[in-house]
Amino acid sequence: MERSKKPANIPVSPTIPTPNVSISQDNSRLTASLPTGESVEVLLYGATIISWKAKGKENLFLSSKAHLDGSKAVRGGIPLVFPVFGPPPADHATTGLPQHGFARTSKWEYLGKSTSESSATPKSKGDASVKLDFGLSHTMLDKIPSEWKNYEFGITYSVTLNKEDLETSFAIRNTGEKDWEFQTLFHTYLAVDNISQVSVSGLEGASFKDKTQGGKEVKGSSGPITIGGEVDRNYSLGPTKLITIAEKNKPRYEIYRDLLSDVVVWNPWETKAKGMADFGPEDGYKKMICVETGSVMQWNTLEAGDTWEGGQRIKAFDETSNLDASIAGASENGVATQYGPTQASIGRQDFANKNISQQEPLLNNNDTSGHGIEHEHREDDPQEEQKERPRRPSMLPRPSSIARRTAFIDEDEALPTSPPPAKAGPVSWKDLPNKKQLAILTMARLSEPLTQTSLQAYMFYQLKSFNPNLSDSTISSQAGILQGSFTAAQFITAILWGRMADNERVGRKRVLLIGLFGTCVSCIGFGFSISFWQAAVFRTAGGALNGNVGVMRTMISEIIKEKRFQSRAFLLLPMCFNIGVIIGPILGGLLSDPVGSYPKVFGIDSVFGGKEGVWWLKHWPYALPNLMSAFFLLIAAMGVIFGLEETLESIRDRPDFGLRLGRSIASLFHSRRHQYTAVDTEDTLDSPSNSSWPDSYELESRMPKTSTLPSKPKIKRLPFSRIWTTNVLCTLLCHGILAMHVGTFNNLWFIHLSTPRFDPEHPQPPRHEHQTLPFGFTGGLGMPPRSVGFAMAVLGVIGISLQLFVYPRVNERLGTVRSFRYSLCLFPIAYILAPYLSVIPSSKPPPTQASGVLVWLALSGVLCIQVIARTFALPATIILINNCSPHPSVLGTIHGISQSVSSFSRTIGPVVGGWGFGKGLQIGVVGTVWWSLAALASLGWCASSLVREGSGHEIFLEGEKEEEEEGKEI
């Protein structure tokens, strides 16, 4: 039976289309799309946007050769630059970071999504949008090779896809107790059809730094920019000016900026594009233009607890848009027209104080289904709308509110600013980067010349004490052998230590410690030796265990990478030698044979000696200065253990117990600063929150504690057989000759000063009854240890004065190679004049020591010439050796080889020189060995014409050339 009145069918409301978010099966990328067809794709690696489709077109350029597997930064899309733009500068917290920082090469965490729809109907599909939030904090970066490892931060990065545009925004929070500086930029690659038909408006008349001209400041033209070659320009415009990119006289993109005052325009053009291994296709430069917004022209200082915000909005146009109408419309409304409501409302304090209660839950990283993620529709709270509390603007408001953004910032909340970096001028000592590490290396280096030069003050007399019956010529020969035994052992082992320093199992720091402790033991043994052969054994052991000079040079070159700082940095090692030359001989002279020198203090019936005198000082009269040297070496070793960082790239991030212990000890002497944050009076505890932004500490707690930096690729090593380039061989030849005559001079100088004067009443040799000029004369100056120490100190004072006040300026003017060549011509002059000190009239007759004004003036004059030459030659040769290395992987080996060459030369030179000096005394022509030394120095001067300054990387292994070219891009 049918009813007369059937109930009507209940109408079913059609489902309103909503935005969708999906994740790839490998959890590596997110894709968000709108019902109207717009979409955006984001890699979690670098939080890099790799696709943005709107108006039926792809709007971002992505290289066909881009690495999307997380192995390196993505070429194309919108990579993120933080905390440094371009190569990190020297002596800055970012020094050691990769180019453009770590944000683009770190894996970010997906924090969730939020969506909104306004005026949506099934037919119109509404004006929906979707926002994706990503997070990065310091806890996700376990290994940061720079001072940034000491800083704490939390970053929230939002990507908002609207029907008309794409928004990207940063909220960067300093969550630690230290202030730090940063730069940031959206490295946006925009897609175009033909770069020759593209123009960029909004930059007219603005000055810019042209990096294709070395950063030269250039005044901009009055018209739009067109691209006809390589372009690399940095503009500073202020954050409100609209940037329009047009193609075929029709608008293609508009870029609105919020608190981002700088704009970079870049296109590599053909030549540079070909040099990038991951740039494709070959003519891809015709299909892209980078218009990048950021804050990079100066450093932004972010104080502890503060938050910095900035962002951009890119609007894409279809092909029917008219350029003039678009620009006119923007100008008429101040910047552009206000659009409908936006879903995100973020003030400076939101990032610090809001919670994530309304944020969609985090993506489950264990879900590999690849299906769309459930979305959430939010409705506005009517009670919230009735509040009288003023509404904050959105982080990236619609264009008309961009100009009003600063009205919502309190006076004490003004954005931090810092002055523009000063232009590079002459380098001073205070400009050197990494001063703490250099100071530790300097201390370690200083301890060794203190030890070596201390010996020279009393070695002649210590050898004499072993056997008082030996002749002066025999003692001279023994002194040469003793000096040569140390360097001969170094020659044998220096390459081994260099190879070990390049080895990941050992490293630079351990080799340095072995050298310091080995030399310490050698000093103690030498001081307590009672025969020539015992002393020779300990000297040999000290040389065999010491490869420190080469390692220190390598470490300095790795600490100081910029060439403009190298002339001063490498000067530290010769300066240490001169300081050692000042202090060492004085200490050696004062502390040697204390019983004989200070009988009232250490002798019989003395203050400390009692009735018998100090027993051990009587038996080992030269032990005390050696114990003092051992103490210096021990202090230096402690400094290296507790304070020096490893510089070998492959192991520099390896845990270092000594360094950790040193920092713990240092923290005991520094009180920790406590800070308090004022309660925000505007945000009460009971006020509801509508922010989808996570609080910084909550963000940090949700970050994984594992490192997200890509694992370091295994460093390619140059085979040993390929090290021997022509420049390496020529540089080592000059270095060997220089080391030979300088080492021989150092040995002959103290022997000549200590050798007894010629006495006509007791001539030596007996047949040499009188002195005849210009060649027939013999004898030394007969100075005791204290006078020898003072004379050696004169050499050091002259050297350190020249190195501090003269060398840097002259070297800056002449350059490394020319200052090296000019200085070499002075050595022969000093060596020709040196033996004539024996015939300078003295105020006292022989056999007493030579003295008087004329003697000391002549002595100082010869030293001055030799030290001037050495002051310029030694730092220059260190730099030349460092830069002649054909590949960075063999830098330690090159320095080890150079030390071996130097050790070999300093072994042969002093031995032959000591023998030659003894022969000269026997035949009555003491100048023979000196004039031979002058001939050798002249040969080195001629050989210097074959040397050129290298780059430190002249041989490229497979794939390295492409990586270097890629590193030069912006």
Side-chain angles (χ1 to χ4, degrees):
M1 182 177 83
E2 294 186 3
R3 296 181 180 179
S4 58
K5 293 185 179 180
K6 296 181 181 179
N9 292 331
I10 300 175
V12 178
S13 299
T15 303
I16 298 175
T18 56
N20 181 64
V21 178
S22 63
I23 185 171
S24 63
Q25 291 189 359
D26 60 356
N27 283 359
S28 66
R29 67 183 68 183
L30 290 160
T31 302
S33 59
L34 301 181
T36 48
E38 293 79 13
S39 66
V40 66
E41 188 172 0
V42 186
L43 282 181
L44 288 180
Y45 179 76
T48 305
I49 301 173
I50 58 174
S51 174
W52 167 39
K53 295 178 181 177
K55 307 295 182 183
K57 298 186 70 172
E58 174 60 64
N59 295 308
L60 297 179
F61 171 82
L62 182 68
S63 168
S64 60
K65 299 180 181 179
H67 295 261
L68 304 180
D69 58 356
S71 60
K72 64 186 303 184
V74 177
R75 175 75 64 191
I78 309 181
L80 303 178
V81 173
F82 177 86
V84 61
F85 173 66
D91 197 17
H92 192 266
T94 57
T95 303
L97 292 179
Q99 176 163 293
H100 292 329
F102 49 73
R104 65 177 186 159
T105 56
S106 300
K107 187 174 182 181
W108 292 58
E109 183 171 357
Y110 174 54
L111 301 178
K113 73 178 178 71
S114 59
T115 62
S116 71
E117 299 85 29
S118 63
S119 305
T121 66
K123 184 176 181 180
S124 68
K125 299 182 182 180
D127 193 16
S129 66
V130 59
K131 177 164 74 72
L132 308 175
D133 292 332
F134 304 88
L136 183 70
S137 79
H138 64 280
T139 59
M140 301 168 68
L141 306 173
D142 290 340
K143 297 179 180 179
I144 304 179
S146 79
E147 193 177 328
W148 258 82
K149 61 190 173 187
N150 302 318
Y151 297 150
E152 299 178 10
F153 65 90
I155 306 176
T156 303
Y157 173 52
S158 290
V159 177
T160 304
L161 176 64
N162 302 304
K163 182 178 179 180
E164 297 262 344
D165 52 55
L166 179 72
E167 300 177 7
T168 58
S169 61
F170 261 151
I172 303 170
R173 175 87 187 276
N174 183 342
T175 60
E177 296 182 353
K178 298 180 179 179
D179 302 346
W180 38 262
E181 295 180 325
F182 73 97
Q183 296 170 327
T184 188
L185 176 126
F186 297 106
H187 198 320
T188 307
Y189 290 74
L190 294 172
V192 297
D193 295 327
N194 188 341
I195 189 64
S196 63
Q197 298 176 333
V198 170
S199 64
V200 182
S201 302
L203 306 174
E204 293 83 355
S207 297
F208 59 89
K209 288 188 176 181
D210 192 341
K211 297 177 78 173
T212 65
Q213 300 184 48
K216 180 181 177 182
E217 190 83 16
V218 179
K219 177 68 175 176
S221 61
S222 59
I225 298 174
T226 57
I227 312 298
E230 181 185 355
V231 175
D232 193 349
R233 301 180 178 183
N234 295 2
Y235 292 85
S236 185
L237 302 173
T240 60
K241 199 165 186 180
L242 173 69
I243 307 298
T244 301
I245 296 92
E247 188 169 9
K248 298 179 182 178
N249 202 37
K250 295 179 180 179
R252 183 72 186 268
Y253 306 102
E254 285 180 350
I255 301 178
Y256 305 90
R257 295 168 294 128
D258 186 20
L259 303 180
L260 299 178
S261 59
D262 304 329
V263 176
V264 177
V265 180
W266 178 70
N267 185 291
W269 213 247
E270 183 176 7
T271 301
K272 184 165 283 188
K274 287 182 178 179
M276 300 177 190
D278 61 349
F279 192 94
E282 190 170 310
D283 63 346
Y285 67 94
K286 298 178 180 179
K287 304 293 184 181
M288 55 77 65
I289 182 172
C290 283
V291 181
E292 310 158 28
T293 65
S295 182
V296 297
M297 297 291 278
Q298 62 184 21
W299 291 101
N300 304 284
T301 301
L302 194 59
E303 297 181 356
D306 279 0
T307 301
W308 181 96
E309 297 174 352
Q312 68 173 0
R313 185 170 69 88
I314 308 174
K315 181 179 179 181
F317 292 85
D318 57 32
E319 296 181 354
T320 62
S321 302
N322 180 269
L323 176 60
D324 296 331
S326 172
I327 296 177
S331 302
E332 182 179 343
N333 291 282
V335 178
T337 306
Q338 175 77 26
Y339 292 85
T342 182
Q343 80 285 359
S345 179
I346 308 149
R348 283 171 56 83
Q349 297 168 349
D350 288 320
F351 182 72
N353 299 318
K354 300 299 181 183
N355 57 48
I356 57 170
S357 59
Q358 294 183 347
Q359 177 84 15
E360 184 164 322
L362 284 173
L363 177 67
N364 183 356
N365 288 332
N366 296 323
D367 180 13
T368 57
S369 64
H371 299 296
I373 299 174
E374 292 296 328
H375 60 271
E376 170 182 84
H377 176 71
R378 295 186 181 165
E379 296 182 359
D380 295 332
D381 186 351
Q383 295 180 356
E384 189 71 25
E385 294 178 357
Q386 295 174 3
K387 288 184 177 289
E388 295 181 358
R389 178 180 173 181
R391 179 175 177 174
R392 286 195 179 108
S394 65
M395 178 64 210
L396 279 169
R398 297 305 187 190
S400 64
S401 64
I402 290 181
R404 306 196 312 268
R405 176 66 178 86
T406 55
F408 293 87
I409 303 177
D410 296 333
E411 288 182 3
D412 61 349
E413 208 176 354
L415 293 177
T417 59
S418 58
K423 293 183 179 180
V427 176
S428 62
W429 290 107
K430 67 179 181 180
D431 295 328
L432 284 177
N434 298 310
K435 296 181 183 67
K436 293 180 181 178
Q437 295 299 297
L438 290 176
I440 296 172
L441 280 176
T442 300
M443 180 176 65
R445 179 65 184 122
L446 177 59
S447 64
E448 294 188 357
L450 278 175
T451 302
Q452 305 303 327
T453 58
S454 173
L455 293 175
Q456 295 175 351
Y458 57 81
M459 183 182 288
F460 186 91
Y461 296 95
Q462 183 174 8
L463 292 173
K464 197 82 171 176
S465 70
F466 294 154
N467 188 350
N469 297 321
L470 293 178
S471 65
D472 294 342
S473 60
T474 302
I475 296 296
S476 298
S477 298
Q478 286 185 346
I481 293 172
L482 210 57
Q483 180 69 22
S485 63
F486 183 88
T487 52
Q490 276 191 325
F491 163 69
I492 295 171
T493 61
I495 295 180
L496 173 63
W497 291 123
R499 299 291 283 181
M500 291 181 70
D502 281 338
N503 192 292
E504 296 179 1
R505 297 182 179 180
V506 184
R508 323 282 198 220
K509 185 172 178 177
R510 289 181 181 175
V511 171
L512 194 58
L513 286 172
I514 292 171
L516 290 171
F517 282 118
T519 307
C520 180
V521 173
S522 169
C523 280
I524 296 173
F526 185 85
F528 287 92
S529 297
I530 58 174
S531 70
F532 167 72
W533 294 111
Q534 283 184 6
V537 167
F538 281 109
R539 287 288 288 166
T540 303
L545 294 172
N546 192 316
N548 286 0
V549 173
V551 175
M552 289 178 184
R553 292 172 180 173
T554 304
M555 296 185 81
I556 287 178
S557 70
E558 290 170 332
I559 293 172
I560 307 296
K561 296 184 181 297
E562 279 197 68
K563 283 191 175 183
R564 70 191 187 100
F565 294 114
Q566 286 184 351
S567 62
R568 285 192 183 263
F570 282 118
L571 187 59
L572 291 172
L573 300 185
M575 280 179 60
C576 290
F577 178 82
N578 279 324
I579 294 172
V581 164
I582 297 172
I583 302 174
I586 293 176
L587 286 178
L590 292 175
L591 298 179
S592 62
D593 191 14
V595 174
S597 300
Y598 314 104
K600 294 182 180 181
V601 180
F602 301 103
I604 298 174
D605 295 327
S606 65
V607 176
F608 297 106
K611 293 183 179 181
E612 301 295 329
V614 180
W615 177 83
W616 67 277
L617 290 178
K618 290 171 62 179
H619 284 74
W620 297 287
Y622 299 96
L624 188 58
N626 282 279
L627 289 174
M628 181 61 70
S629 297
F631 175 74
F632 288 141
L633 289 163
L634 187 61
I635 294 298
M638 293 300 103
V640 170
I641 291 173
F642 296 129
L644 188 64
E645 298 176 1
E646 177 61 62
T647 62
L648 183 60
E649 180 66 27
S650 56
I651 61 172
R652 64 187 304 171
D653 297 322
R654 183 180 294 173
D656 189 326
F657 176 77
L659 200 59
R660 193 176 303 169
L661 180 60
R663 289 172 178 167
S664 299
I665 295 172
S667 67
L668 298 177
F669 299 94
H670 295 84
S671 60
R672 180 169 292 183
R673 182 182 65 175
H674 296 276
Q675 291 185 337
Y676 299 89
T677 303
V679 177
D680 183 11
T681 57
E682 189 179 2
D683 291 321
T684 58
L685 292 175
D686 59 350
S687 63
S689 170
N690 62 357
S691 171
S692 62
W693 289 78
D695 194 358
S696 59
Y697 65 81
E698 188 160 354
L699 168 64
E700 180 180 329
S701 67
R702 295 167 65 173
M703 301 301 181
K705 300 298 182 182
T706 57
S707 171
T708 58
L709 284 178
S711 58
K712 292 184 179 179
K714 188 173 181 61
I715 296 176
K716 301 175 182 177
R717 291 183 60 84
L718 186 71
F720 188 76
S721 59
R722 297 185 64 188
I723 288 176
W724 312 101
T725 64
T726 301
N727 193 41
V728 167
L729 294 175
C730 292
T731 304
L732 290 176
L733 173 64
C734 285
H735 176 59
I737 294 175
L738 176 65
M740 180 176 289
H741 63 72
V742 170
T744 304
F745 173 85
N746 293 336
N747 188 58
L748 289 179
W749 184 251
F750 78 83
I751 294 176
H752 195 120
L753 296 179
S754 303
T755 300
R757 296 172 63 192
F758 173 77
D759 186 358
E761 296 183 3
H762 302 89
Q764 288 292 335
R767 64 180 179 275
H768 187 83
E769 296 180 355
H770 58 275
Q771 307 276 61
T772 58
L773 295 176
F775 307 116
F777 58 91
T778 188
L781 278 73
M783 292 183 173
R786 278 179 289 183
S787 296
V788 171
F790 181 75
M792 296 295 290
V794 170
L795 184 150
V797 170
I798 296 172
I800 198 72
S801 301
L802 290 170
Q803 287 170 336
L804 284 173
F805 304 113
V806 178
Y807 170 78
R809 296 181 180 179
V810 175
N811 186 72
E812 185 178 350
R813 181 180 295 272
L814 296 179
T816 302
V817 175
R818 283 204 296 170
S819 63
F820 177 64
R821 290 171 182 166
Y822 292 167
S823 63
L824 292 183
C825 68
L826 296 176
F827 285 110
I829 299 173
Y831 301 152
I832 290 172
L833 297 177
Y836 290 98
L837 294 173
S838 298
V839 295
I840 297 295
S842 171
S843 61
K844 296 180 180 179
T848 58
Q849 73 173 80
S851 61
V853 176
L854 289 178
V855 171
W856 286 102
L857 284 177
L859 186 146
S860 299
V862 172
L863 282 178
C864 188
I865 297 172
Q866 204 271 349
V867 173
I868 289 174
R870 193 178 65 190
T871 297
F872 286 89
L874 293 184
T877 192
I878 295 172
I879 295 172
L880 291 172
I881 288 169
N882 184 77
N883 294 340
C884 81
S885 175
H887 192 271
S889 67
V890 294
L891 182 59
T893 302
I894 286 292
H895 281 295
I897 293 171
S898 73
Q899 188 173 357
S900 279
V901 171
S902 174
S903 298
F904 176 77
S905 299
R906 289 184 292 116
T907 299
I908 300 299
V911 171
V912 174
W915 173 83
F917 188 85
K919 285 296 180 182
L921 292 176
Q922 290 178 5
I923 64 175
V925 186
V926 75
T928 303
V929 68
W930 288 107
W931 299 323
S932 300
L933 204 61
L936 178 64
S938 299
L939 178 63
W941 179 27
C942 296
S944 67
S945 61
L946 303 174
V947 175
R948 63 179 178 83
E949 186 172 7
S951 63
H953 197 165
E954 298 180 1
I955 296 179
F956 289 86
L957 301 178
E958 184 179 356
E960 287 185 336
K961 190 69 175 178
E962 291 80 2
E963 291 175 5
E964 184 187 68
E965 290 297 326
E966 175 190 345
K968 294 177 181 177
E969 62 94 8
I970 189 168

